[in-house]
Each structure stands twice: as C-alpha cells, then as structure tokens.
C-alpha cells in the first residue's frame, strides 16, 4: 500500500469518474480528507447519503480551500468557468489536474487561470463505462487501465512524479505525452468509435423499411454492441467533439476514405479486398486481448451470472467497456 500522498484532495464533479476516484482514494488511503463539489443539490445530496466523500461543498471555491490536489471531474465545457472560480482560492504549492477526455482544450481553458505558485498537470484516465452520476463509480475502474498525463514543458518534475504515483496507486499504468498527440491518439481510439456508434444507432432508428421493434429484436447481430457505446453521457460527448474538433475531423476524413474503399469492393464483388481487411482487423483485436485491455470471453457481459467489477474485485465486468 502506497499510503497518504496528498493530505487533502478536492474532487470537482462527482459523476462516474469523480466517484470512482473517491472510492479508490479511500480504498488505498491516498488522502486524509476528500472534499467534493457537484453542481446540483441532487448530486450533492446523493453523495452525502452514500458517504462518498468527507466534505460536500456547494461552491467549488470552498471545496478547493487548502487542498493539496484538486482534480476537475466535470464535462469539459465547464472547465473554463470552474478554473476562473477556483484559481484565486488555490493553496500555494497545490497540484491541479483533471480527467477530461481532451487535453489541448484543457490547457487552453484552464491554464490561463492557474496562479504561478500552483502545479497544473492535465491528465486523462482511459477508463470508463456508459454509466454516469455519483452512484455509478467503483474503485476498480482504473485497474490495469492507462492514465495519460500531459505535463507542460515547465511542469515541476517532483509534482509530476507524485501525481504519477497517485495514479499508479489507483491501479493505472501511466504514460506521458504532449496534449496534441494525446488528442490525435484518442480521436482514433475513442472519439471516432463513439461518433460512429452514435451515428449507426441514429441511422437504424430512422431507416424506413425496418421497424424499430425489429432493430431491437434482432440486435444481437451486432447492433447492440454499438448501442452500449452510444448510451454514453450526451453532455460529456458533446463537449468532447466540440473540444477536439481538428483531430476528430482529420480522422473522420481518413475513415470516410477507407469506407469508400469498402463500398467500392462490395459494389464490384471484390472479395479479396474485403477478406484482407477483415483479416487485419482480427489481428488488431487479438493484440488488444494480448495487451490485457479486453478479454477473449465469447458473448462478453451478456450472461446474467457475470459478476460486476465491484463483485469480482477486478477491472472487467459487464458495466465496463465504453469510456472516453
Ligand atoms: P458524469 O458522470 O456525467 O459526472 C459529471 C459530474 O460533473 C457530475 O457530478 C456533475 O454534477 C458535475 N458537473 C457538471 N457540470 C458542472 C459544473 N458546471 N460545475 C460543477 N460540477 C458540474 O461525468 P463523467 O463520466 O464522470 O465524466 C467527467 C469527465 O471525465 C469528463 O470530462 C469526461 O471527458 C472525463 N472522462 C469520462 C470517461 C467516461 O467513460 N465517462 C472516461 C474518461 C474520462 P451534477 O450531477 O450535479 O450535474
């Protein structure tokens, strides 16, 4: 066990990621006190009822008072205003980080509000589910998942090392990269897959010759796998696309070109092109399983006896999978 790394941690936003952090900080005893803030009275009340954190604050500025580590865990669109609000209240020497799924925009929106005596180190745990809210979190969410830190060129090495230790103690592997590269990598591995899932579900809902009840009835043919991803939080994903515009449009352009190749192969009966591409895809799937980022279990997550991550005490279960 690592033990206390920050005396006081403030979590701004108590949804899936914020509540999962609260659970793992408690489990690993990484802080003496956890303060929390969420926008609505309802979420704050739920957090109080389930004893999620030690202190609940109505204002973000009050929550960050004396905190040694502040983590922004709200949708990206809220970051700028929150940073402006908490900036003047931050403790000298505190570390400010976040969990947002886009990093360039965080540097743009939060950076200008950070005082010089604070360590601002953006981060992104590549772990999630399609659930949201204060009751959706669980301590194992980060187990064996990657957390990407995007320190700035002038970030203090000791503060970065401490934050890295924090994520490792939470079960994550840690990698560092620059914010723009992060946004390119996530555009193809996360953002584009979500866009495609949202789109295919919309197409199925609008198609005239097949009824919605048929789409639902025969969804095991593949459609249901997209619906799980497309059930992710609309606010969060709206903000991801608005804040990673260039990288998403770039990868979407490549995707559309490649889709045209498939379209052409189908039209001209070019089985070899189809077969070769499908074979390559299978190999990528095998590499993901070999890297421990997925299981090879058939029909994953659809049997009623499959334990949840909380029950299994491990990082995979029926509720995990989609994440930003
Ligand atoms: P979530 O479950 O929807 O929770 C969002 C939390 O932020 C709620 O507590 C919400 O409070 C609070 N909030 C929203 N707007 C706020 C504001 N203006 N001021 C203060 N609090 C506000 O979201 P999440 O899934 O945890 O995602 C949070 C962040 O994690 C996002 O930036 C996302 O990009 C990133 N992320 C998500 C995943 C994933 O799979 N979900 C994975 C990795 C990273 P109320 O409930 O009161 O509205």
């Amino acid at each position: 066990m690592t033990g206390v790394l920050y005396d006081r941690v403030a979590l701004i936003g108590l949804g899936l990621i914020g509540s999962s952090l609260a659970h793992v900080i408690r489990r690993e005893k990484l802080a003496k006190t956890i303060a929390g803030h969420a926008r609505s009275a309802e979420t704050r009340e739920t957090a109080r009822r389930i004893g999620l954190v030690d202190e609940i604050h109505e204002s973000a500025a009050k929550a960050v008072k004396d905190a040694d580590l502040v983590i922004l865990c709200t949708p990206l669109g809220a970051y700028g205003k929150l940073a402006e609000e908490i900036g003047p209240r931050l403790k000298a020497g505190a570390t400010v980080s976040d969990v947002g799924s886009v990093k360039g925009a965080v540097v743009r929106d939060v950076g200008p509000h950070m005082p010089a005596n604070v360590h601002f180190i953006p981060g992104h745990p590549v772990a999630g589910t399609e659930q949201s809210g204060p009751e959706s979190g669980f301590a194992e969410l980060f187990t064996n998942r990657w957390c990407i830190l995007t320190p700035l060129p002038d970030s203090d090495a000791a503060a970065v090392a401490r934050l890295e230790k924090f994520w490792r103690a939470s079960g994550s592997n840690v990698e560092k990269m620059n914010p723009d590269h992060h946004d390119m990598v996530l555009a193809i591995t996360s953002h584009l897959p979500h866009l495609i899932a949202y789109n295919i579900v919309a197409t199925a809902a609008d198609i005239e010759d097949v009824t919605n009840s048929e789409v639902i009835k025969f969804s095991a043919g593949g459609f249901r796998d997209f619906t799980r991803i497309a059930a992710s939080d609309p606010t969060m994903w709206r903000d991801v696309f608005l804040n990673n515009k260039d990288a998403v449009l770039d990868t979407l352009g490549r995707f559309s070109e490649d889709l045209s190749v498939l379209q052409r192969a189908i039209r001209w009966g070019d089985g070899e092109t189809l077969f070769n591409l499908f074979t390559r895809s299978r190999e990528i799937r095998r590499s993901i399983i070999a890297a421990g980022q997925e299981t090879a279990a058939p029909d994953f997550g659809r049997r009623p006896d499959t334990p949840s991550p909380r029950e299994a005490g491990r990082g995979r279960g029926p509720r995990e999978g989609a994440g930003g």
Side-chain angles (χ1 to χ4, degrees), residues 74-110:
T74 69
L76 287 158
Y79 276 23
K81 270 196 114 163
L82 280 168
E84 188 179 359
E85 185 188 341
I86 64 173
R89 305 296 187 96
L90 293 164
K91 178 179 170 179
T95 291
V96 177
S97 190
D98 77 301
V99 296
S101 309
V102 180
K103 298 276 56 90
V106 173
V107 176
R108 179 196 69 202
D109 293 348
V110 177

mmCIF file of all heavy atoms in Angstrom, residues 74-110:
data_model
loop_
_atom_site.group_PDB
_atom_site.id
_atom_site.type_symbol
_atom_site.label_atom_id
_atom_site.label_comp_id
_atom_site.label_asym_id
_atom_site.label_seq_id
_atom_site.Cartn_x
_atom_site.Cartn_y
_atom_site.Cartn_z
ATOM 1 N N THR A 74 -15.542 17.222 -14.169
ATOM 2 C CA THR A 74 -16.820 17.602 -14.794
ATOM 3 C C THR A 74 -16.690 17.459 -16.302
ATOM 4 O O THR A 74 -15.583 17.269 -16.805
ATOM 5 C CB THR A 74 -17.150 19.079 -14.481
ATOM 6 O OG1 THR A 74 -16.212 19.895 -15.192
ATOM 7 C CG2 THR A 74 -17.076 19.378 -12.998
ATOM 8 N N PRO A 75 -17.790 17.592 -17.047
ATOM 9 C CA PRO A 75 -17.652 17.665 -18.502
ATOM 10 C C PRO A 75 -16.740 18.835 -18.890
ATOM 11 O O PRO A 75 -16.668 19.850 -18.176
ATOM 12 C CB PRO A 75 -19.092 17.894 -18.975
ATOM 13 C CG PRO A 75 -19.944 17.290 -17.885
ATOM 14 C CD PRO A 75 -19.206 17.578 -16.619
ATOM 15 N N LEU A 76 -16.053 18.703 -20.015
ATOM 16 C CA LEU A 76 -15.030 19.676 -20.430
ATOM 17 C C LEU A 76 -15.569 21.103 -20.561
ATOM 18 O O LEU A 76 -14.856 22.066 -20.272
ATOM 19 C CB LEU A 76 -14.461 19.254 -21.790
ATOM 20 C CG LEU A 76 -13.540 18.031 -21.760
ATOM 21 C CD1 LEU A 76 -13.484 17.381 -23.137
ATOM 22 C CD2 LEU A 76 -12.154 18.422 -21.282
ATOM 23 N N GLY A 77 -16.817 21.232 -20.977
ATOM 24 C CA GLY A 77 -17.391 22.552 -21.208
ATOM 25 C C GLY A 77 -17.474 23.402 -19.946
ATOM 26 O O GLY A 77 -17.626 24.620 -20.031
ATOM 27 N N ALA A 78 -17.372 22.768 -18.782
ATOM 28 C CA ALA A 78 -17.482 23.518 -17.513
ATOM 29 C C ALA A 78 -16.115 23.976 -17.000
ATOM 30 O O ALA A 78 -16.041 24.775 -16.049
ATOM 31 C CB ALA A 78 -18.165 22.633 -16.459
ATOM 32 N N TYR A 79 -15.047 23.489 -17.608
ATOM 33 C CA TYR A 79 -13.705 23.711 -17.054
ATOM 34 C C TYR A 79 -13.310 25.190 -16.922
ATOM 35 O O TYR A 79 -12.773 25.600 -15.903
ATOM 36 C CB TYR A 79 -12.657 23.011 -17.928
ATOM 37 C CG TYR A 79 -12.444 21.545 -17.635
ATOM 38 C CD1 TYR A 79 -13.407 20.764 -17.003
ATOM 39 C CD2 TYR A 79 -11.241 20.926 -18.002
ATOM 40 C CE1 TYR A 79 -13.193 19.420 -16.759
ATOM 41 C CE2 TYR A 79 -11.021 19.582 -17.757
ATOM 42 C CZ TYR A 79 -11.993 18.835 -17.139
ATOM 43 O OH TYR A 79 -11.758 17.505 -16.896
ATOM 44 N N GLY A 80 -13.540 25.965 -17.995
ATOM 45 C CA GLY A 80 -13.069 27.354 -18.017
ATOM 46 C C GLY A 80 -13.624 28.159 -16.849
ATOM 47 O O GLY A 80 -12.870 28.798 -16.110
ATOM 48 N N LYS A 81 -14.942 28.078 -16.671
ATOM 49 C CA LYS A 81 -15.586 28.862 -15.597
ATOM 50 C C LYS A 81 -15.142 28.380 -14.231
ATOM 51 O O LYS A 81 -14.921 29.167 -13.311
ATOM 52 C CB LYS A 81 -17.114 28.732 -15.708
ATOM 53 C CG LYS A 81 -17.720 29.791 -16.593
ATOM 54 C CD LYS A 81 -19.205 29.874 -16.377
ATOM 55 C CE LYS A 81 -19.511 31.221 -15.752
ATOM 56 N NZ LYS A 81 -20.860 31.616 -15.832
ATOM 57 N N LEU A 82 -15.034 27.045 -14.096
ATOM 58 C CA LEU A 82 -14.607 26.494 -12.802
ATOM 59 C C LEU A 82 -13.183 26.938 -12.482
ATOM 60 O O LEU A 82 -12.879 27.312 -11.341
ATOM 61 C CB LEU A 82 -14.680 24.959 -12.830
ATOM 62 C CG LEU A 82 -16.071 24.361 -12.623
ATOM 63 C CD1 LEU A 82 -16.073 22.878 -12.955
ATOM 64 C CD2 LEU A 82 -16.548 24.576 -11.180
ATOM 65 N N ALA A 83 -12.311 26.898 -13.493
ATOM 66 C CA ALA A 83 -10.909 27.295 -13.267
ATOM 67 C C ALA A 83 -10.834 28.752 -12.840
ATOM 68 O O ALA A 83 -10.072 29.113 -11.933
ATOM 69 C CB ALA A 83 -10.088 27.052 -14.536
ATOM 70 N N GLU A 84 -11.664 29.571 -13.471
ATOM 71 C CA GLU A 84 -11.690 31.002 -13.127
ATOM 72 C C GLU A 84 -12.134 31.180 -11.667
ATOM 73 O O GLU A 84 -11.592 31.993 -10.932
ATOM 74 C CB GLU A 84 -12.665 31.705 -14.081
ATOM 75 C CG GLU A 84 -12.633 33.205 -13.963
ATOM 76 C CD GLU A 84 -13.611 33.862 -14.944
ATOM 77 O OE1 GLU A 84 -14.288 33.144 -15.719
ATOM 78 O OE2 GLU A 84 -13.686 35.095 -14.911
ATOM 79 N N GLU A 85 -13.101 30.347 -11.268
ATOM 80 C CA GLU A 85 -13.643 30.454 -9.906
ATOM 81 C C GLU A 85 -12.649 29.966 -8.851
ATOM 82 O O GLU A 85 -12.474 30.591 -7.809
ATOM 83 C CB GLU A 85 -14.941 29.617 -9.839
ATOM 84 C CG GLU A 85 -15.665 29.745 -8.510
ATOM 85 C CD GLU A 85 -16.835 28.772 -8.405
ATOM 86 O OE1 GLU A 85 -17.324 28.259 -9.435
ATOM 87 O OE2 GLU A 85 -17.255 28.498 -7.247
ATOM 88 N N ILE A 86 -11.980 28.854 -9.141
ATOM 89 C CA ILE A 86 -11.107 28.275 -8.096
ATOM 90 C C ILE A 86 -9.704 28.888 -8.095
ATOM 91 O O ILE A 86 -9.021 28.858 -7.063
ATOM 92 C CB ILE A 86 -10.993 26.724 -8.212
ATOM 93 C CG1 ILE A 86 -10.311 26.295 -9.517
ATOM 94 C CG2 ILE A 86 -12.356 26.068 -8.035
ATOM 95 C CD1 ILE A 86 -10.010 24.802 -9.615
ATOM 96 N N GLY A 87 -9.275 29.427 -9.251
ATOM 97 C CA GLY A 87 -7.899 29.944 -9.390
ATOM 98 C C GLY A 87 -7.418 30.739 -8.186
ATOM 99 O O GLY A 87 -6.402 30.406 -7.566
ATOM 100 N N PRO A 88 -8.159 31.792 -7.789
ATOM 101 C CA PRO A 88 -7.674 32.646 -6.698
ATOM 102 C C PRO A 88 -7.723 31.967 -5.332
ATOM 103 O O PRO A 88 -7.136 32.473 -4.380
ATOM 104 C CB PRO A 88 -8.672 33.825 -6.713
ATOM 105 C CG PRO A 88 -9.455 33.695 -7.980
ATOM 106 C CD PRO A 88 -9.403 32.278 -8.396
ATOM 107 N N ARG A 89 -8.428 30.825 -5.207
ATOM 108 C CA ARG A 89 -8.569 30.166 -3.899
ATOM 109 C C ARG A 89 -7.597 29.004 -3.697
ATOM 110 O O ARG A 89 -7.615 28.349 -2.661
ATOM 111 C CB ARG A 89 -9.989 29.606 -3.744
ATOM 112 C CG ARG A 89 -11.085 30.614 -3.950
ATOM 113 C CD ARG A 89 -10.998 31.707 -2.867
ATOM 114 N NE ARG A 89 -12.150 32.589 -2.951
ATOM 115 C CZ ARG A 89 -13.237 32.456 -2.224
ATOM 116 N NH1 ARG A 89 -13.324 31.486 -1.354
ATOM 117 N NH2 ARG A 89 -14.236 33.287 -2.359
ATOM 118 N N LEU A 90 -6.780 28.727 -4.702
ATOM 119 C CA LEU A 90 -5.909 27.548 -4.600
ATOM 120 C C LEU A 90 -4.774 27.780 -3.611
ATOM 121 O O LEU A 90 -4.244 28.891 -3.497
ATOM 122 C CB LEU A 90 -5.332 27.208 -5.981
ATOM 123 C CG LEU A 90 -6.359 26.727 -7.011
ATOM 124 C CD1 LEU A 90 -5.783 26.786 -8.429
ATOM 125 C CD2 LEU A 90 -6.822 25.304 -6.689
ATOM 126 N N LYS A 91 -4.417 26.701 -2.936
ATOM 127 C CA LYS A 91 -3.317 26.760 -1.962
ATOM 128 C C LYS A 91 -1.977 26.845 -2.714
ATOM 129 O O LYS A 91 -1.809 26.147 -3.741
ATOM 130 C CB LYS A 91 -3.389 25.461 -1.150
ATOM 131 C CG LYS A 91 -2.320 25.266 -0.109
ATOM 132 C CD LYS A 91 -2.579 23.944 0.606
ATOM 133 C CE LYS A 91 -1.423 23.547 1.497
ATOM 134 N NZ LYS A 91 -1.697 22.282 2.212
ATOM 135 N N ALA A 92 -1.046 27.604 -2.221
ATOM 136 C CA ALA A 92 0.275 27.677 -2.853
ATOM 137 C C ALA A 92 0.906 26.280 -2.822
ATOM 138 O O ALA A 92 0.844 25.602 -1.799
ATOM 139 C CB ALA A 92 1.158 28.668 -2.112
ATOM 140 N N GLY A 93 1.445 25.850 -3.927
ATOM 141 C CA GLY A 93 2.106 24.540 -3.990
ATOM 142 C C GLY A 93 1.159 23.398 -4.319
ATOM 143 O O GLY A 93 1.587 22.249 -4.455
ATOM 144 N N ALA A 94 -0.148 23.701 -4.458
ATOM 145 C CA ALA A 94 -1.119 22.634 -4.772
ATOM 146 C C ALA A 94 -0.906 22.132 -6.203
ATOM 147 O O ALA A 94 -0.349 22.839 -7.051
ATOM 148 C CB ALA A 94 -2.543 23.174 -4.635
ATOM 149 N N THR A 95 -1.359 20.906 -6.448
ATOM 150 C CA THR A 95 -1.380 20.375 -7.811
ATOM 151 C C THR A 95 -2.821 20.419 -8.296
ATOM 152 O O THR A 95 -3.735 20.021 -7.575
ATOM 153 C CB THR A 95 -0.854 18.920 -7.830
ATOM 154 O OG1 THR A 95 0.553 18.960 -7.547
ATOM 155 C CG2 THR A 95 -1.059 18.253 -9.187
ATOM 156 N N VAL A 96 -3.015 20.914 -9.522
ATOM 157 C CA VAL A 96 -4.339 20.914 -10.142
ATOM 158 C C VAL A 96 -4.269 20.016 -11.360
ATOM 159 O O VAL A 96 -3.403 20.179 -12.224
ATOM 160 C CB VAL A 96 -4.774 22.334 -10.567
ATOM 161 C CG1 VAL A 96 -6.121 22.286 -11.284
ATOM 162 C CG2 VAL A 96 -4.847 23.248 -9.353
ATOM 163 N N SER A 97 -5.169 19.023 -11.400
ATOM 164 C CA SER A 97 -5.202 18.124 -12.549
ATOM 165 C C SER A 97 -6.657 17.935 -12.978
ATOM 166 O O SER A 97 -7.563 18.592 -12.464
ATOM 167 C CB SER A 97 -4.548 16.786 -12.185
ATOM 168 O OG SER A 97 -4.370 16.008 -13.356
ATOM 169 N N ASP A 98 -6.869 17.063 -13.926
ATOM 170 C CA ASP A 98 -8.236 16.824 -14.403
ATOM 171 C C ASP A 98 -8.290 15.426 -15.012
ATOM 172 O O ASP A 98 -7.278 14.721 -15.046
ATOM 173 C CB ASP A 98 -8.645 17.875 -15.439
ATOM 174 C CG ASP A 98 -8.028 17.595 -16.797
ATOM 175 O OD1 ASP A 98 -6.789 17.549 -16.880
ATOM 176 O OD2 ASP A 98 -8.779 17.378 -17.770
ATOM 177 N N VAL A 99 -9.482 15.048 -15.484
ATOM 178 C CA VAL A 99 -9.660 13.709 -16.069
ATOM 179 C C VAL A 99 -10.278 13.808 -17.470
ATOM 180 O O VAL A 99 -10.733 12.815 -18.024
ATOM 181 C CB VAL A 99 -10.568 12.831 -15.176
ATOM 182 C CG1 VAL A 99 -9.925 12.586 -13.827
ATOM 183 C CG2 VAL A 99 -11.949 13.481 -14.985
ATOM 184 N N GLY A 100 -10.311 15.010 -18.020
ATOM 185 C CA GLY A 100 -11.018 15.255 -19.280
ATOM 186 C C GLY A 100 -10.480 14.433 -20.448
ATOM 187 O O GLY A 100 -9.283 14.156 -20.533
ATOM 188 N N SER A 101 -11.384 14.109 -21.362
ATOM 189 C CA SER A 101 -11.043 13.223 -22.478
ATOM 190 C C SER A 101 -10.313 13.933 -23.612
ATOM 191 O O SER A 101 -9.910 13.297 -24.577
ATOM 192 C CB SER A 101 -12.326 12.596 -23.026
ATOM 193 O OG SER A 101 -13.060 12.036 -21.975
ATOM 194 N N VAL A 102 -10.165 15.254 -23.510
ATOM 195 C CA VAL A 102 -9.402 16.035 -24.494
ATOM 196 C C VAL A 102 -8.391 16.851 -23.690
ATOM 197 O O VAL A 102 -8.707 17.301 -22.589
ATOM 198 C CB VAL A 102 -10.340 16.978 -25.280
ATOM 199 C CG1 VAL A 102 -9.557 17.797 -26.299
ATOM 200 C CG2 VAL A 102 -11.451 16.185 -25.973
ATOM 201 N N LYS A 103 -7.180 17.031 -24.206
ATOM 202 C CA LYS A 103 -6.179 17.704 -23.384
ATOM 203 C C LYS A 103 -5.770 19.087 -23.886
ATOM 204 O O LYS A 103 -5.520 19.971 -23.081
ATOM 205 C CB LYS A 103 -4.934 16.805 -23.220
ATOM 206 C CG LYS A 103 -5.242 15.519 -22.509
ATOM 207 C CD LYS A 103 -5.241 15.546 -20.976
ATOM 208 C CE LYS A 103 -6.086 16.465 -20.208
ATOM 209 N NZ LYS A 103 -7.420 15.975 -19.856
ATOM 210 N N GLY A 104 -5.714 19.292 -25.202
ATOM 211 C CA GLY A 104 -5.338 20.608 -25.718
ATOM 212 C C GLY A 104 -6.293 21.679 -25.199
ATOM 213 O O GLY A 104 -5.879 22.753 -24.756
ATOM 214 N N ALA A 105 -7.584 21.382 -25.213
ATOM 215 C CA ALA A 105 -8.602 22.345 -24.791
ATOM 216 C C ALA A 105 -8.490 22.656 -23.296
ATOM 217 O O ALA A 105 -8.828 23.758 -22.859
ATOM 218 C CB ALA A 105 -9.993 21.805 -25.110
ATOM 219 N N VAL A 106 -8.000 21.690 -22.525
ATOM 220 C CA VAL A 106 -7.856 21.906 -21.080
ATOM 221 C C VAL A 106 -6.712 22.889 -20.819
ATOM 222 O O VAL A 106 -6.826 23.802 -19.992
ATOM 223 C CB VAL A 106 -7.615 20.557 -20.357
ATOM 224 C CG1 VAL A 106 -7.299 20.778 -18.892
ATOM 225 C CG2 VAL A 106 -8.835 19.660 -20.513
ATOM 226 N N VAL A 107 -5.629 22.714 -21.567
ATOM 227 C CA VAL A 107 -4.508 23.646 -21.428
ATOM 228 C C VAL A 107 -4.992 25.052 -21.810
ATOM 229 O O VAL A 107 -4.701 26.042 -21.123
ATOM 230 C CB VAL A 107 -3.326 23.198 -22.328
ATOM 231 C CG1 VAL A 107 -2.191 24.207 -22.275
ATOM 232 C CG2 VAL A 107 -2.839 21.799 -21.917
ATOM 233 N N ARG A 108 -5.789 25.119 -22.863
ATOM 234 C CA ARG A 108 -6.320 26.411 -23.350
ATOM 235 C C ARG A 108 -7.281 27.053 -22.327
ATOM 236 O O ARG A 108 -7.183 28.240 -22.043
ATOM 237 C CB ARG A 108 -7.056 26.138 -24.665
ATOM 238 C CG ARG A 108 -7.708 27.367 -25.310
ATOM 239 C CD ARG A 108 -8.710 26.938 -26.369
ATOM 240 N NE ARG A 108 -9.877 26.285 -25.770
ATOM 241 C CZ ARG A 108 -10.696 25.440 -26.417
ATOM 242 N NH1 ARG A 108 -10.451 25.113 -27.672
ATOM 243 N NH2 ARG A 108 -11.742 24.913 -25.800
ATOM 244 N N ASP A 109 -8.185 26.264 -21.766
ATOM 245 C CA ASP A 109 -9.258 26.828 -20.933
ATOM 246 C C ASP A 109 -8.879 26.996 -19.459
ATOM 247 O O ASP A 109 -9.361 27.909 -18.790
ATOM 248 C CB ASP A 109 -10.511 25.928 -20.989
ATOM 249 C CG ASP A 109 -11.139 25.927 -22.373
ATOM 250 O OD1 ASP A 109 -10.752 26.767 -23.205
ATOM 251 O OD2 ASP A 109 -12.009 25.067 -22.627
ATOM 252 N N VAL A 110 -8.060 26.067 -18.949
ATOM 253 C CA VAL A 110 -7.733 26.098 -17.512
ATOM 254 C C VAL A 110 -6.418 26.847 -17.268
ATOM 255 O O VAL A 110 -6.312 27.650 -16.334
ATOM 256 C CB VAL A 110 -7.643 24.657 -16.942
ATOM 257 C CG1 VAL A 110 -7.232 24.670 -15.477
ATOM 258 C CG2 VAL A 110 -8.973 23.932 -17.129
#
